[in-house]
Amino acid sequence: MNTKGKNRSVQRTQALLKDGLTELMQTKPVQNITVRELTDYVNLNRGTFYLHYRDIQDLLEHLENDILDEFIEITNAHQPQDMKGKPFPLICDLYKFLEKNSDFVKLVLVNNQEQNFMNRIKEIIRERCVNDWDEIFANADPRLSEIYSSYVLSGCIGIIENRIRNGTRQSPEELAHYTEDIMLNGLNVLK
């Protein structure tokens, strides 16, 4: 078998395990999920699982790191000087990312599982907000930047939670427009 085929096979197996774990986590806490239960659920043998991961916690860490890496990649693709104070492209891409990973996001935001992961996401966003606003608004009071980043972060998370809890179907573009409008009106505080 060629290397490409092996890589695709490995990627498919890992995706199957990650998706299966996410689905099982919707029914019970991750600490109550066993390797046997997961492999039975996704129709793989346990030996296949152990070729890729040490245990369920290791699989969860890989899942979280994959999501965080993609999240960071998206944020790094949008530089403040390119946005010129118009955050719509970044926000829209982040909402699309969250929609793509909605099952896991639901576990974190609504079911309150994996709070460490949520804290890591919040820290990435907070740092990015403060750094971007410091670059866009050179004379901004750092205390106001910190407060404003907390405000925006809480608002964005609230929008996502509301969408998940109520099943509203606004597109990522619509949500990004709402968020940008709120953010830009609030930016007057930093001027």
Side-chain angles (χ1 to χ4, degrees):
M1 184 185 260
N2 66 30
T3 306
K4 276 188 176 180
K6 286 182 184 177
N7 287 337
R8 270 189 262 143
S9 176
V10 166
Q11 290 172 346
R12 263 193 311 272
T13 299
Q14 290 175 339
L16 187 64
L17 289 166
K18 289 172 184 175
D19 291 344
L21 179 62
T22 300
E23 290 171 22
L24 286 174
M25 286 174 64
Q26 292 176 28
T27 63
K28 60 171 44 175
V30 70
Q31 58 271 21
N32 295 341
I33 299 171
T34 65
V35 171
R36 179 177 298 282
E37 180 181 16
L38 174 59
T39 55
D40 286 350
Y41 185 76
V42 298
N43 199 28
L44 291 174
N45 66 49
R46 289 183 343 164
T48 301
F49 176 91
Y50 289 115
L51 286 173
H52 303 284
Y53 307 104
R54 289 184 313 275
D55 53 26
I56 293 292
Q57 195 59 44
D58 185 42
L59 169 59
L60 179 61
E61 287 176 25
H62 277 84
L63 172 60
E64 290 177 350
N65 288 335
D66 289 349
I67 292 172
L68 281 174
D69 288 346
E70 185 179 351
F71 185 80
I72 291 168
E73 189 176 304
I74 290 168
T75 62
N76 288 341
H78 298 277
Q79 296 305 308
Q81 63 273 16
D82 299 333
M83 292 187 292
K84 298 191 186 337
K86 300 285 185 183
F88 176 81
L90 170 61
I91 296 167
C92 189
D93 284 350
L94 289 175
Y95 282 143
K96 287 177 184 176
F97 161 80
L98 293 171
E99 183 172 55
K100 176 182 145 192
N101 294 288
S102 62
D103 288 342
F104 193 77
V105 170
K106 181 178 179 182
L107 291 170
V108 171
L109 289 179
V110 178
N111 298 354
N112 293 320
Q113 290 195 42
E114 299 311 307
Q115 286 305 303
N116 183 45
F117 174 81
M118 190 63 209
N119 291 336
R120 290 166 65 190
I121 289 273
K122 286 178 181 179
E123 186 58 26
I124 291 167
I125 294 172
R126 189 197 65 71
E127 284 179 15
R128 177 64 193 258
C129 288
V130 170
N131 291 338
D132 286 2
W133 291 324
D134 286 349
E135 188 168 324
I136 294 168
F137 301 101
N139 298 324
D141 181 336
R143 293 172 300 165
L144 288 178
S145 291
E146 185 68 35
I147 291 168
Y148 190 68
S149 70
S150 295
Y151 169 77
V152 169
L153 180 59
S154 296
C156 290
I157 290 171
I159 289 170
I160 296 163
E161 283 179 337
N162 183 60
R163 184 173 188 238
I164 291 169
R165 286 182 197 275
N166 298 326
T168 55
R169 295 281 74 185
Q170 292 101 346
S171 69
E173 291 81 4
E174 287 176 291
L175 291 175
H177 279 296
Y178 299 149
T179 306
E180 182 183 58
D181 287 345
I182 293 166
M183 287 175 69
L184 293 178
N185 289 330
L187 284 176
N188 292 327
V189 172
L190 297 176
K191 289 184 180 181

